[in-house]
Amino acid sequence: AISLTRMEDGKFLAVNDTCVALNGRSREEVIGHSARTMNIWPTAEAAARFVLALKEHGALRGWEQAFLKKTGEVFVAQLSAQLLTVQGEQLALSSLVDITEQKRTQEELHNLNATLERQVAARTAELRAANHELEAFCYAVSHDLRAPLRAMSGFTQALVEDFGADQSPEAKA
């Protein structure tokens, strides 16, 4: 969307068809009317911030800004503007690119990443708990098997001492 406005009062001097379609107003509703009083900017402060930055720098590129359509619906645009002086009058040549869908997609991606991080943290905690339980089980099993193994080792030692020389080769193995 492209528009030409007067810096002095913000009045639209020219707009292209895309600008008309984007904000939902007819060309007649826009031309000759001020952007500052048409409820295009969400707040007067946002409009003032833009005007100040444009006057300060002479040009702006990639300025992200929310705007209001005629219906009141908010859309986000990437705004670029250039200050021009024509016949002694300061004008702003502006272009808008609607990035509302891109911003929604970024927000969804951010939310999905946050959800995924929470799930990974929960699963990691579950794995740590399972590993802790497994370690406790292994300790209990090894502790419980010590007494029977000592008894079997003692009986084996007694058999070797009692029948050591008389054992068959299969018994010694």
Side-chain angles (χ1 to χ4, degrees), residues 118-132:
R118 284 192 301 274
Q119 288 175 345
V120 166
R123 297 268 162 77
T124 301
E126 289 172 6
L127 282 173
R128 283 191 181 123
N131 280 340
H132 182 70

Side-chain angles (χ1 to χ4, degrees), residues 52-66:
L52 181 63
L54 184 56
K55 285 181 178 179
E56 217 174 272
H57 301 289
L60 297 173
R61 302 281 178 263
W63 179 289
E64 285 188 17
Q65 180 63 53

Side-chain angles (χ1 to χ4, degrees), residues 5-27:
T5 56
R6 273 197 315 232
M7 288 299 293
E8 175 187 330
D9 55 10
K11 282 191 180 178
F12 285 98
L13 303 176
V15 294
N16 69 354
D17 292 340
T18 305
C19 186
V20 169
L22 185 60
N23 71 44
R25 293 171 175 87
S26 70
R27 188 171 261 103

Side-chain angles (χ1 to χ4, degrees), residues 7 36 46 59 61 70 80 82-83 86 89 110 112 123 140 145 149 156 167:
M7 288 299 293
R36 298 173 195 156
R61 302 281 178 263
K70 183 179 180 179
S80 295
Q82 178 74 43
L83 263 183
V86 178
E89 188 171 39
H110 174 74
L112 288 172
R123 297 268 162 77
L145 290 177
L149 287 175
T156 304
Q167 287 183 13

